[in-house]
């Protein structure tokens, strides 16, 4: 009986998705979409699987969502894959993730979607703690796509929002020293734009819209500086369960909002 009900509902979902897609395409798209990919481990636990298998499901979903972003013409996407805090997870899980990063970096460097759509991949975050093998794979991916002029895809690895601001201030201070500025002179001239120019995302627009899956209602430090005027959407579904309908509903929610930027 359940199977019959599911088979009957599929055409309805397909029709609803098509109608929603047509509706959303008429509205404005975020220039920069931030995605917090949360819920891989909980998804695996619910199925009686290991965390590793949950991450595998999460990887496949990330490729799927990337295709949706390309379809909707979103120019910049930042996905948070691994935080600085994630290094505290069990060693065997961290090691598995490191192997996954190497494999997927090598795969992305040859992926037809990345090449055909001229996606430029940038890796943002601190690189301490990653093995030479991981770093080489990431650097090859960045170099392979450096000349691409389509979507910019930021992959946040070893990322923390507070750490990013600290790193930006450090670079700002070092630059000021090279220019012969005293701390007093720097303090007198300092503007928010000066700090923004030293962030990992320098040169890119701030995120208009940030989506987090898994039902958690917090940013956990994601793009702390850049998200000052972002719109947020918290989806109840776990990341591997995130459907195109959920994606389109999120975009529809964004399009329905009036952005005032403090005015």
């Amino acid at each position: 009986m359940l199977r019959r009900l599911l088979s009957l509902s599929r055409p309805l979902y397909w029709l609803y998705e098509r109608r929603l897609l047509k509706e959303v395409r008429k509205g404005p798209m975020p220039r920069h979409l931030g995605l917090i990919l949360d819920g891989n481990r909980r998804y695996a636990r619910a199925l009686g699987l290991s965390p590793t298998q949950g991450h595998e499901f999460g990887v496949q979903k990330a490729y799927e969502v990337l295709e949706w972003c390309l379809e909707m013409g979103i120019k910049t996407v930042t996905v948070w894959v691994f935080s600085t805090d994630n290094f505290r997870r069990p060693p065997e899980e961290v090691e598995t993730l490191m192997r996954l990063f190497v494999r997927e970096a090598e795969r992305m460097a040859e992926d037809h979607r990345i090449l055909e759509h001229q996606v430029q991949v940038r890796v943002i975050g601190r690189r301490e703690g990653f093995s030479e093998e991981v770093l080489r794979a990431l650097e090859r991916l960045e170099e392979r796509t450096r000349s691409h002029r389509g979507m910019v895809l930021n992959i946040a690895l070893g990322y923390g929002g507070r750490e990013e601001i600290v790193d930006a201030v450090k670079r700002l201070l070092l630059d000021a020293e090279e220019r012969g500025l005293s701390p007093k002179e720097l303090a007198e001239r300092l503007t928010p734009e000066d700090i923004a120019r030293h962030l990992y995302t320098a040169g890119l627009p701030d995120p208009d819209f940030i989506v987090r899956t898994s039902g958690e209602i917090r940013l956990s430090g994601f793009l702390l500086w850049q998200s000052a005027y972002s719109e947020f959407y918290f989806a109840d579904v776990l990341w591997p369960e995130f459907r195109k309908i959920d994606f389109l509903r999120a975009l529809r929610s964004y399009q329905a909002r009036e952005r005032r930027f403090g005015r």
Side-chain angles (χ1 to χ4, degrees):
M1 182 64 177
L2 178 59
R3 186 175 299 175
R4 178 174 171 76
L5 287 173
L6 289 173
S7 65
L8 289 172
S9 67
R10 286 194 191 101
L12 296 177
Y13 268 102
W14 181 78
L15 287 170
Y16 174 56
E17 182 183 299
R18 289 199 59 177
R19 189 183 72 183
L20 193 55
L21 178 60
K22 186 177 180 181
E23 176 187 339
V24 169
R25 273 183 167 157
K26 295 176 182 177
M29 291 295 154
R31 294 180 305 162
H32 183 172
L33 172 66
L35 293 168
I36 303 176
L37 322 183
D38 195 17
N40 291 340
R41 296 193 298 172
R42 274 173 280 172
Y43 179 76
R45 280 199 298 268
L47 295 176
L49 304 173
S50 68
T52 301
Q53 290 168 296
H55 295 310
E56 290 282 359
F57 284 117
V59 166
Q60 298 312 312
K61 180 57 62 175
Y63 280 107
E64 195 175 352
V65 175
L66 173 61
E67 289 185 349
W68 302 340
C69 292
L70 288 167
E71 181 184 359
M72 303 309 291
I74 298 172
K75 298 299 184 184
T76 304
V77 177
T78 298
V79 295
W80 196 6
V81 175
F82 188 84
S83 74
T84 49
D85 293 332
N86 290 158
F87 278 111
R88 301 173 188 167
R89 289 182 176 179
E92 60 274 13
E93 183 180 349
V94 173
E95 181 58 33
T96 297
L97 284 167
M98 295 301 133
R99 290 196 296 270
L100 195 62
F101 296 154
V102 172
R103 188 192 77 190
E104 293 307 317
E106 292 173 347
R107 176 183 171 188
M108 287 185 75
E110 303 300 329
D111 190 280
H112 69 93
R113 292 159 291 195
I114 300 292
L115 302 177
E116 289 170 11
H117 292 278
Q118 290 284 289
V119 177
Q120 183 183 110
V121 182
R122 303 182 184 184
V123 180
I124 63 172
R126 290 183 171 177
R127 308 217 169 179
E128 296 91 340
F130 292 99
S131 69
E132 285 299 318
E133 184 183 17
V134 172
L135 294 176
R136 282 196 302 270
L138 296 175
E139 287 164 6
R140 284 196 297 267
L141 172 59
E142 288 184 299
E143 184 58 35
R144 181 79 165 86
T145 64
R146 195 178 305 281
S147 62
H148 289 182
R149 292 296 175 263
M151 174 197 287
V152 174
L153 174 62
N154 296 315
I155 300 177
L157 279 173
Y159 177 86
R162 290 177 175 176
E163 288 83 354
E164 178 181 22
I165 294 171
V166 168
D167 289 346
V169 172
K170 285 180 178 178
R171 286 194 290 269
L172 181 66
L173 292 171
L174 290 171
D175 287 351
E177 184 181 36
E178 288 179 4
R179 289 185 288 133
L181 293 177
S182 70
K184 185 173 185 291
E185 290 171 319
L186 176 61
E188 289 172 348
R189 302 180 185 186
L190 187 63
T191 67
E193 290 74 24
D194 292 326
I195 294 177
R197 280 193 292 272
H198 292 81
L199 295 171
Y200 301 149
T201 57
L204 297 172
D206 288 340
D208 308 283
F209 193 38
I210 294 175
V211 176
R212 180 174 186 155
T213 57
S214 86
E216 302 291 351
I217 305 177
R218 60 177 182 273
L219 288 182
S220 300
F222 182 59
L223 300 179
L224 276 179
W225 181 280
Q226 301 91 325
S227 64
Y229 292 106
S230 300
E231 298 292 331
F232 304 113
Y233 186 91
F234 300 99
D236 288 333
V237 297
L238 302 174
W239 175 247
E241 297 174 314
F242 192 61
R243 304 165 301 171
K244 191 171 185 179
I245 285 176
D246 301 312
F247 177 71
L248 294 172
R249 283 173 174 164
L251 290 176
R252 183 177 62 182
S253 174
Y254 168 79
Q255 292 171 347
R257 304 179 193 186
E258 182 182 354
R259 305 189 70 207
R260 297 189 183 91
F261 299 96
R263 293 191 292 271

